[in-house]
Amino acid sequence: MKRMILSFILALGISHAAIGQTGRVYDKLSMASKILKMDRNYAVYLPPDYDISDRSYPVLYLLHGASDNQTGWVQFGEVHSIADAAIKSGIATSMIIIMPDADTGKMGYFNEGKDWRYEDFFFEEFMPFVEEKYRIRKDKKYRAIAGLSMGGGGSFMYALHHPELFSSACPLSAYVGPLKIEDFDNRLLQTDVKYSQKEKEEYFKKHNVIELLETVSLEQIKSVRWYIDCGDDDFLYEGNSLIHIAMRKKKIPHEYRVKDGKHNWPYWRQALPDVLEFVSQAFHQN
């Protein structure tokens, strides 16, 4: 009995200590990549109780948009204060948030040509590295992905390319890929990457969400919990709306939010608490 009381007191003390603390953010971290032949930067948010516990945590990979880097969600998205508040209020569970840099060398989350294999780097090097470095639970149930704009597209594609790895995906104001192959042709004119017609068609099918909804098995798609959010004045509304319609037709469960707002940080800061709550529900589900 005395041992039970002592255990209760110790647990209560740890809880109060956690409440009084805040999470920590480091945004100038790096790791060496053999695939990309360079060091890659990343940022991490560690929850308030990370230093006073020995437990392992679920993880959210949070992707930035075009022209930002791993500091975007820290500097402009205020991930530190928003995550602290969500955890303290109880709407979100304690989690580790990992924010990679996809703006050094070339911009983007995907393989492009033979010499730029960012997606391979992410899955073969980056995820294993951070999940060993930090006390991260490695089961699908405890891994989620989210992002804004270009990172929203990354969230869609990564979860559809690897549905076995993520319990939830939360694209915000997502670039969903070129809606037509002609759009992809126009984008290629702005780069130095050259594709044959066959390579263009293969790339388009792999990087267009609506195409992926046709080719990835329905069972795999449904194994991911989907939260899609795009402002009513966002210039990317069309692609997100078409995905919502396609998912409805295929009876793919998903949450679809359209709120008043544009393609900007005030909208994404407002959306982040809902994302943290949504992914926490997957972390807790039976």
Side-chain angles (χ1 to χ4, degrees):
M1 184 67 180
K2 287 182 179 179
R3 186 175 298 175
M4 291 176 60
I5 294 172
L6 179 60
S7 298
F8 176 76
I9 291 171
L10 288 173
L12 190 62
I14 290 174
S15 297
H16 283 304
I19 290 171
Q21 295 198 10
T22 64
R24 290 179 294 131
V25 167
Y26 302 94
D27 65 359
K28 296 180 180 179
L29 304 171
S30 66
M31 62 160 290
S33 169
K34 292 181 180 179
I35 290 175
L36 296 178
K37 300 180 178 62
M38 63 169 63
D39 287 348
R40 300 300 305 182
N41 298 322
Y42 69 96
V44 60
Y45 166 85
L46 299 176
D49 57 347
Y50 189 82
D51 287 333
I52 58 173
S53 80
D54 293 322
R55 60 171 286 209
S56 296
Y57 292 82
V59 62
L60 169 65
Y61 289 91
L62 188 58
L63 310 184
H64 66 76
S67 77
D68 278 330
N69 56 30
Q70 81 281 359
T71 67
W73 274 107
V74 177
Q75 181 67 35
F76 308 116
E78 299 178 11
V79 66
H80 191 173
S81 59
I82 291 173
D84 275 358
I87 293 169
K88 185 176 181 180
S89 70
I91 69 166
T93 189
S94 286
M95 71 183 77
I96 293 171
I97 302 175
I98 302 290
M99 295 156 278
D101 167 32
D103 192 49
T104 300
K106 287 188 178 182
M107 184 178 67
Y109 292 99
F110 312 125
N111 297 347
E112 193 165 286
K114 296 178 181 178
D115 298 324
W116 190 253
R117 297 165 49 210
Y118 188 93
E119 186 168 349
D120 292 344
F121 153 75
F122 186 93
F123 288 102
E124 296 174 24
E125 291 184 327
F126 184 65
M127 274 181 47
F129 173 82
V130 296
E131 293 188 6
E132 285 298 325
K133 183 175 178 63
Y134 303 99
R135 299 197 308 273
I136 289 174
R137 305 189 71 166
K138 299 176 178 64
D139 306 314
K140 167 187 168 84
K141 174 180 176 180
Y142 301 108
R143 188 187 293 116
I145 190 162
L148 65 89
S149 193
M150 179 181 79
S155 304
F156 263 129
M157 307 303 175
Y158 281 9
L160 287 167
H161 292 169
H162 292 281
E164 77 281 3
L165 293 180
F166 301 103
S167 59
S168 298
C170 304
L172 306 175
S173 308
Y175 171 67
V176 303
L179 298 179
K180 298 177 292 185
I181 198 162
E182 292 79 11
D183 297 334
F184 184 45
D185 284 332
N186 292 332
R187 187 170 76 79
L188 282 177
L189 293 175
Q190 303 170 27
T191 74
D192 58 357
V193 179
K194 304 299 181 184
Y195 286 122
S196 67
Q197 186 61 31
K198 182 180 178 182
E199 288 173 330
K200 279 193 292 188
E201 291 172 0
E202 289 176 350
Y203 189 95
F204 176 78
K205 289 178 181 178
K206 190 174 181 180
H207 297 89
N208 175 280
V209 177
I210 295 175
E211 287 284 331
L212 287 167
L213 292 178
E214 295 295 330
T215 57
V216 179
S217 81
L218 205 56
E219 182 181 2
Q220 287 182 309
I221 298 172
K222 289 182 176 180
S223 77
V224 181
R225 299 174 74 252
W226 296 95
Y227 182 94
I228 303 165
D229 188 348
C230 189
D232 59 353
D233 293 318
D234 195 305
F235 70 95
L236 293 176
Y237 78 93
E238 181 180 4
N240 286 266
S241 302
L242 290 173
I243 290 167
H244 164 59
I245 293 168
M247 284 186 163
R248 282 288 299 270
K249 287 181 177 178
K250 288 182 169 292
K251 298 182 179 179
I252 298 168
H254 65 288
E255 298 295 327
Y256 178 58
R257 299 288 181 269
V258 178
K259 301 189 292 287
D260 182 37
K262 301 179 180 180
H263 197 83
N264 56 27
W265 279 108
Y267 190 87
W268 303 319
R269 285 194 295 268
Q270 186 182 46
L272 185 56
D274 294 330
V275 168
L276 298 177
E277 181 177 15
F278 185 82
V279 302
S280 293
Q281 291 166 358
F283 297 154
H284 285 148
Q285 69 182 354
N286 296 320

